[in-house]
């Protein structure tokens, strides 16, 4: 699949979750968590796209997406530091 298709699907799912919403609070929290994980995956995708020129590659999986989604840009920076200096 091309990156454009993947980004389109993820953005479509985010918009669907935002528009439809969920009336029940636990489902809303789960939906917000899923959105954060998707945004974290997008952060990592863009990092890998740009960082490829500099030799930076952080694998995109559930754990790294969760860290970058919950912590945001500082989480991505932490993952890069871990990738460069520890692993």
């Amino acid at each position: 699949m091309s990156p454009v298709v993947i980004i389109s699907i993820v953005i479509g799912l985010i918009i669907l979750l935002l528009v439809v919403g969920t009336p029940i609070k636990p489902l809303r929290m789960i939906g917000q968590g899923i959105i954060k994980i998707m945004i974290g995956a997008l952060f990592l995708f863009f990092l890998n796209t740009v960082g490829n020129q500099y030799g930076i590659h952080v694998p995109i999986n559930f754990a790294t997406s969760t860290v970058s989604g919950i912590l945001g840009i500082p989480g991505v920076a932490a993952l890069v530091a871990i990738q460069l200096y520890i692993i």
Side-chain angles (χ1 to χ4, degrees):
M1 290 177 109
S2 71
V4 175
V5 173
I6 294 171
I7 292 172
S8 300
I9 291 171
V10 170
I11 290 174
L13 288 173
I14 289 172
I15 291 172
L16 178 70
L17 285 173
L18 290 174
V19 170
V20 173
T22 55
I24 302 171
K25 190 166 183 149
L27 290 177
R28 182 172 296 228
M29 291 174 55
I30 291 170
Q32 289 174 349
I34 290 171
I35 289 173
K36 285 186 179 188
I37 291 171
M38 283 192 232
I39 291 171
L42 281 174
F43 279 162
L44 292 175
F45 175 77
F46 289 125
L47 170 75
N48 287 337
T49 302
V50 173
N52 191 22
Q53 299 171 356
Y54 304 105
I56 298 172
H57 176 75
V58 177
I60 301 174
N61 56 35
F62 184 74
T64 57
S65 295
T66 303
V67 168
S68 63
I70 292 174
L71 297 178
I73 302 296
V76 173
L79 289 171
V80 170
I82 290 170
Q83 184 71 24
L84 291 176
Y85 297 114
I86 295 178
I87 297 179

